[in-house]
Amino acid sequence: MAYIVGQGCIGCKHTTCVEVCPVDAFREGDNFLVIDPEECIDCDLCVDECPEDAIFAEDDVPADQIQFIEINARLAEIWPEIDAPKQPLLDGSTEIVE
Ligand code: SF4
Ligand code: F3S
């Protein structure tokens, strides 16, 4: 299994989640983050850090966000690691920027 960043992160990118990840599994895109499923150890620490409630265990991803399982896996292979918080984006965007 792995944890998944979903729709709530798009346009927000608070980045408070990255600080707690013990294996630096987060990857950064222009307007949201993803989690590398090859790195995530299912520790559950990041879930409570996200003010948007955007992070789910893979088994608990809402049906209308199920595509984010594939999106996280695919983009984690090409996006760079982020291991320290930064200024939130909060640009109001709602569409994925790849
Ligand atoms: Fe990192 Fe744990 Fe969140 Fe996985 S569940 S991304 S290991 S903080
Ligand atoms: Fe995104 Fe939430 Fe992390 S908005 S950057 S998943 S704290």
Side-chain angles (χ1 to χ4, degrees):
M1 204 183 72
Y3 280 60
I4 304 294
V5 179
Q7 178 74 36
C9 186
I10 298 172
C12 295
K13 224 164 79 162
H14 282 281
T15 73
T16 44
C17 52
V18 307
E19 197 163 35
V20 298
C21 183
V23 295
D24 296 338
F26 285 90
R27 306 288 178 260
E28 183 181 16
D30 283 347
N31 73 342
F32 73 115
L33 303 189
V34 296
I35 291 170
D36 185 342
E38 301 291 326
E39 298 291 337
C40 178
I41 57 171
D42 301 334
C43 73
D44 197 52
L45 289 174
C46 54
V47 172
D48 286 343
E49 295 301 316
C50 178
E52 304 295 333
D53 294 329
I55 304 175
F56 306 96
E58 187 173 333
D59 291 345
D60 296 330
V61 176
D64 62 351
Q65 298 184 52
I66 210 78
Q67 70 274 23
F68 279 89
I69 296 174
E70 180 272 331
I71 289 168
N72 276 243
R74 177 165 50 84
L75 297 178
E77 290 187 359
I78 52 177
W79 282 356
E81 182 178 305
I82 175 170
D83 61 6
K86 61 200 303 191
Q87 196 73 13
L89 176 64
L90 298 174
D91 71 352
S93 58
T94 56
E95 300 289 327
I96 290 172
V97 176
E98 296 191 18

